[in-house]
């Protein structure tokens, strides 16, 4: 690809609308442009990256024995009514009407459509198991599209669906898909983790997410090096502390904490660590009442776990400050578990505390030296909190590490939720009709591009993992107008490299060397070759590796061979 022919506009300045590095760099390097909220146009360099990701995904899905299909992006409402999801999917679903006033939606996913396909095409257990996949545009009317293509409204997903006679067969394909995903993300050159996940509204039992590790990730994941435990923090159980609680040492006291509402304000005012305080949240119960949840000051309530406590409203709903004030007469910010008329559920770590600090249920006051059993009743204990780094692993192999991740893939065992509601059956060995057992497997193709940049960049720009770079090599020719022999020699090398199978981004623009160097760093091709007048006189050119900054002088005649020995193999 010749930069002299590509209308490429790059920016030095960080675009104001972009909050995270990948979004900034994708705009600055001319990979994508925003059309409207959550809608993006992919420019030539960006599209090359996307195509390389798609290719690796297709190769691995084909290798796993899945069959590629292409289903419509516009889906009839009737199918969604069959599963009941027309009403429950909510505002993420973009609904449209045709000229006959019939209802459709723009595909956010394709369980209904593929189950319809399966009930028409599959008759017998002999045709099973089978996996269909597609690489297709999806639309989700996200409440907050943000971070560029990371959370867009229109994006490209690889979605796959498997059909089985029984659970054992599903488990086998699910394991194959997990392995396939490991191969895909390894081949893409990304650092990632597979973790157990919540199935969410899609239903079903087992599910795992694949996360690219990056500090900007919206998810938090926990794993233990010493055992196989790995889960989204949403799900990871926090083990109760072992051993018995120490005896109270301090006596109960009232302390003035004027204006100190948050745990950090209270802790710094009193000069104590947050872990000696508790915070109390009032939430709604499923019969419309109220319940207090108590966690240690340095811990966070986990909404999924809390909502799973019997009697608590699902999804978790915080009681409004007005309701807490009017029904309980309590000032938000100074609530504590003592003397409340409502049910109190405390996290195991909060139950283990002695001599702790909590709100006094009176404005600008806290209590110190508080002890369960002595100053207030023993609470109901439950696992209510997010795990933190250093917590013991539920696998027993050591302690947990918690880090941020970007969800790039998700695999589910769906069971027969969709096949039952849509009556998608096959005949089994005895000739009886059986609803098929299903699995589904998604990969965020466009999101992978942003995730790769989040994980691989420096102050100068993107550092592409080789397998997804828009080109293998970038060749810069300095002052091409000045010395025609330099240009001619660079042209010959450009041809030679392409013939040897490398894709080359050839910067033959009539631009200043400083501009070319800056753009090369910004665009982030792994290998850079620079052709200048001085080098040509000595029959040499300069090589630089984008990731390590390593520089070499190469003989003109051995460039192709030298590059070959530095490249990563295409296959793992
Ligand atoms: P998230 O939790 O990030 O909203 P999800 O769990 O709703 O995603 P899935 O239904 O599991 O998403 O979709 C499969 C994959 O599609 C996700 O793992 C993710 O990589 C990608 N994806 C989902 N929503 C978006 C989006 N708005 N923009 C880009 N990619 C997305
Ligand atoms: Mg998901």
């Amino acid at each position: 690809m010749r930069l002299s022919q590509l209308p490429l506009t790059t920016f030095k300045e960080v675009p104001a609308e972009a909050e995270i590095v990948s979004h900034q760099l994708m705009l600055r390097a001319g990979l994508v442009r925003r059309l409207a909220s959550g809608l993006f146009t992919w420019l030539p360099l960006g599209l090359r990256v996307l195509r390389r990701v798609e290719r690796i995904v297709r190769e691995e899905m084909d290798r796993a024995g899945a069959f590629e299909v292409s289903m419509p992006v516009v889906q009839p409402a009737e199918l969604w009514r069959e599963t009941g999801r027309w009403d429950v999917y909510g505002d993420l679903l973009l609904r449209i009407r045709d000229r006959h006033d019939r209802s459709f939606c723009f595909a956010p996913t394709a369980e209904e459509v593929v189950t319809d396909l399966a009930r028409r095409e599959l008759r017998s257990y002999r045709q099973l198991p089978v996996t269909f996949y597609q690489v297709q545009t999806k639309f989700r009317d996200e409440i907050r599209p943000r971070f560029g293509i990371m959370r867009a409204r229109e994006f490209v997903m690889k979605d796959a669906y498997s059909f089985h006679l029984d659970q054992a067969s599903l488990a086998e394909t699910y394991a194959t898909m997990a392995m396939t995903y490991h191969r895909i993300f390894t081949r893409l050159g990304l650092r990632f983790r597979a973790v157990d996940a919540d199935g969410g509204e899609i239903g079903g039992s087992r599910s795992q997410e694949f996360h690219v590790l990056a500090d900007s990730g919206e998810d938090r994941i926990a794993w233990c090096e010493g055992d196989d435990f790995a889960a989204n923090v949403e799900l990871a159980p926090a083990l109760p502390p072992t051993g018995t609680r120490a005896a109270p040492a301090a006596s109960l006291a009232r302390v003035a904490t004027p204006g100190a509402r948050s745990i950090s304000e209270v802790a710094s005012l009193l000069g104590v660590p947050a872990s000696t305080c508790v915070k109390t949240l009032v939430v709604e119960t499923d019969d419309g009442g109220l319940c207090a949840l108590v966690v240690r000051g340095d811990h966070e309530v986990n909404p999924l776990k809390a909502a799973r406590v019997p009697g608590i409203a699902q999804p978790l709903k915080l009681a409004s400050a007005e309701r807490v004030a009017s029904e309980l007469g309590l000032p938000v910010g100074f609530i504590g578990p003592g003397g409340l008329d409502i049910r109190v559920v405390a996290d195991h770590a909060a139950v283990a505390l002695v001599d702790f600090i909590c709100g006094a249920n009176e404005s600008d006051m806290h209590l110190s030296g508080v002890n369960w059993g002595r100053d207030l009743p023993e609470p109901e204990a439950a696992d209510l909190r997010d795990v933190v780094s250093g917590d013991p692993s539920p696998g027993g192999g050591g302690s947990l590490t918690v880090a941020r991740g970007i969800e790039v893939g998700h695999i589910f065992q769906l069971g027969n939720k969709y096949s039952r509601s849509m009556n998608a059956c096959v005949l089994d060995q005895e000739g009886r009709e059986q609803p098929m057992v299903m699995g589904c497997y998604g990969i965020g193709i466009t999101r992978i591009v942003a995730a790769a940049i989040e994980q691989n960049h420096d102050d100068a720009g993107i550092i592409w993992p080789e397998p997804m770079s828009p080109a293998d090599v970038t060749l810069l020719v300095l002052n091409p107008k000045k010395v025609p022999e330099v240009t001619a020699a660079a042209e010959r090398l450009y041809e030679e490299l392409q013939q040897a199978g490398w894709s080359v981004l050839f910067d033959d623009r009539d631009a200043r060397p400083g501009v070319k160097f800056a753009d090369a760093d910004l665009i982030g091709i792994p290998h850079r070759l620079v052709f200048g007048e001085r080098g040509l006189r000595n029959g040499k050119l300069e090589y630089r590796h984008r990731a390590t900054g390593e520089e070499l002088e190469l003989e003109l005649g051995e460039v192709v061979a030298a590059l070959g020995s530095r490249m990563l193999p295409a296959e793992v």
Side-chain angles (χ1 to χ4, degrees):
M1 190 188 286
R2 285 174 187 275
L3 278 188
S4 63
Q5 293 170 2
L6 175 74
L8 174 73
T9 309
T10 58
F11 310 123
K12 269 212 193 80
E13 324 72 56
V14 175
E17 83 245 39
E19 293 165 72
I20 58 168
V21 161
S22 58
H23 189 194
Q24 294 165 1
L25 289 174
M26 290 188 79
L27 293 172
R28 287 183 55 206
L31 304 184
V32 294
R33 294 288 179 249
R34 178 183 181 275
L35 174 66
S37 171
L39 304 177
F40 291 87
T41 297
W42 288 76
L43 294 174
L45 284 179
L47 192 62
R48 282 185 154 217
V49 179
L50 199 61
R51 293 287 181 253
R52 281 194 147 180
V53 174
E54 284 176 8
R55 199 176 125 200
I56 289 176
V57 170
R58 282 199 169 91
E59 282 174 10
E60 293 301 330
M61 292 302 291
D62 292 345
R63 184 205 296 267
F67 296 104
E68 186 169 1
V69 295
S70 175
M71 295 179 275
V73 169
V74 173
Q75 307 180 337
E78 289 78 66
L79 291 180
W80 284 74
R81 292 207 173 94
E82 284 188 52
T83 60
R85 287 212 294 181
W86 187 254
D87 296 320
V88 302
Y89 210 85
D91 291 336
L92 276 182
L93 197 62
L94 181 66
R95 295 153 211 258
I96 43 187
R97 283 177 179 279
D98 71 3
R99 66 172 78 208
H100 306 294
D101 210 29
R102 284 189 288 246
S103 292
F104 292 84
C105 65
F106 206 100
T109 177
E111 283 80 17
E112 281 79 1
V113 172
V114 79
T115 306
D116 179 64
L117 178 75
R119 72 181 165 188
R120 293 164 192 273
E121 299 298 320
L122 306 173
R123 295 263 166 273
S124 154
Y125 74 95
R126 287 196 197 86
Q127 295 169 296
L128 304 181
V130 64
T131 304
F132 297 116
Y133 80 95
Q134 63 176 351
V135 176
Q136 192 219 36
T137 298
K138 297 286 182 298
F139 192 98
R140 292 183 184 180
D141 203 356
E142 297 276 355
I143 193 163
R144 265 187 81 198
R146 58 194 173 136
F147 305 150
I149 58 152
M150 188 83 86
R151 183 168 297 286
R153 294 198 295 168
E154 187 178 307
F155 57 98
V156 179
M157 193 200 288
K158 184 285 295 175
D159 45 329
Y161 307 87
S162 67
F163 296 88
H164 311 267
L165 183 62
D166 54 32
Q167 176 64 30
S169 166
L170 168 62
E172 224 170 89
T173 297
Y174 181 86
T176 304
M177 282 299 147
M179 203 177 65
T180 299
Y181 276 37
H182 273 97
R183 291 184 61 93
I184 289 171
F185 297 118
T186 304
R187 272 188 69 183
L188 287 169
L190 299 171
R191 293 187 302 284
F192 69 97
R193 294 270 164 181
V195 301
D196 288 337
D198 182 53
E201 67 190 293
I202 201 159
S205 46
R206 231 352 304 240
S207 115
Q208 275 168 291
E209 288 166 352
F210 288 75
H211 288 265
V212 165
L213 301 177
D215 293 338
S216 59
E218 289 186 285
D219 282 273
R220 278 176 309 140
I221 57 177
W223 71 86
C224 174
E225 299 292 351
D227 57 41
D228 281 345
F229 183 83
N232 195 308
V233 163
E234 285 180 343
L235 276 199
L239 299 184
T242 50
T244 46
R245 193 164 64 199
S251 46
L252 183 66
R254 275 159 44 86
V255 282
T257 50
R261 285 192 164 74
S262 69
I263 291 290
S264 63
E265 286 164 348
V266 173
S268 71
L269 183 75
L270 303 179
V272 295
S275 57
T276 62
C277 306
V278 300
K279 53 185 161 203
T280 308
L281 271 70
V282 181
V283 298
E284 299 189 2
T285 58
D286 50 19
D287 56 4
L290 296 174
C291 171
L293 302 180
V294 180
V295 294
R296 220 168 70 182
D298 57 332
H299 289 155
E300 296 297 331
V301 168
N302 176 310
L304 286 179
K305 289 181 181 179
R308 248 180 256 132
V309 174
I312 292 185
Q314 210 159 13
L316 193 69
K317 230 169 132 198
L318 275 184
S320 67
E322 295 76 53
R323 187 162 176 207
V324 172
S326 66
E327 281 182 39
L328 304 176
L330 298 177
V332 169
F334 302 95
I335 302 178
L340 291 182
D341 282 346
I342 54 176
R343 182 177 164 202
V344 175
V345 183
D347 179 69
H348 295 295
V351 176
L353 287 176
V354 288
D355 303 333
F356 61 87
I357 293 164
C358 65
N361 293 327
E362 156 184 1
S363 283
D364 297 330
M365 293 301 282
H366 278 76
L367 300 175
S368 70
V370 186
N371 286 279
W372 302 109
R374 186 190 74 180
D375 310 316
L376 71 178
E378 289 289 348
E380 216 182 296
D383 177 8
L384 295 181
R385 68 176 176 99
D386 286 342
V387 292
V388 294
S389 279
D391 276 342
S393 166
S399 56
L400 292 176
T401 302
V402 174
R404 292 208 163 261
I406 300 168
E407 184 195 322
V408 288
H410 201 165
I411 60 178
F412 299 86
Q413 295 191 6
L414 291 175
N416 56 19
K417 171 177 157 135
Y418 294 91
S419 52
R420 243 188 310 119
S421 56
M422 294 183 65
N423 196 28
C425 295
V426 289
L427 296 177
D428 68 10
Q429 293 93 326
E430 273 85 50
R432 289 177 309 212
E433 292 233 307
Q434 298 287 356
M436 286 180 270
V437 180
M438 292 172 58
C440 84
Y441 318 91
I443 287 187
I445 302 275
T446 38
R447 186 179 281 182
I448 286 174
V449 178
I453 298 174
E454 286 299 326
Q455 199 177 67
N456 302 281
H457 65 268
D458 62 14
D459 290 343
I462 303 168
I463 305 174
W464 288 112
E466 311 216 3
M468 53 196 291
S469 172
D472 302 317
V473 189
T474 183
L475 175 61
L476 276 53
V477 48
L478 305 184
N479 304 314
K481 284 265 168 72
K482 208 167 117 204
V483 193
E485 302 91 286
V486 173
T487 309
E491 290 281 346
R492 279 196 300 277
L493 183 60
Y494 177 48
E495 285 306 318
E496 215 182 308
L497 284 167
Q498 291 183 98
Q499 258 156 35
W502 306 124
S503 72
V504 186
L505 184 67
F506 185 23
D507 194 348
D508 56 345
R509 291 177 299 180
D510 183 19
R512 281 183 296 114
V515 169
K516 297 191 176 198
F517 287 127
D519 279 351
D521 279 349
L522 178 60
I523 294 167
I525 310 287
H527 306 283
R528 187 187 80 184
L529 295 169
V530 178
F531 229 111
E533 189 185 344
R534 190 165 44 94
L536 184 73
R537 263 194 255 114
N538 314 330
K540 292 199 160 125
L541 78 179
E542 292 159 29
Y543 166 87
R544 186 165 183 273
H545 188 237
R546 177 69 182 87
T548 61
E550 187 190 343
E551 295 187 354
L552 292 173
E553 269 211 330
L554 297 178
E555 298 285 336
L556 193 46
E558 57 182 44
V559 170
V560 174
L563 268 184
S565 66
R566 302 188 61 81
M567 295 276 185
L568 292 176
E571 296 282 321
V572 263

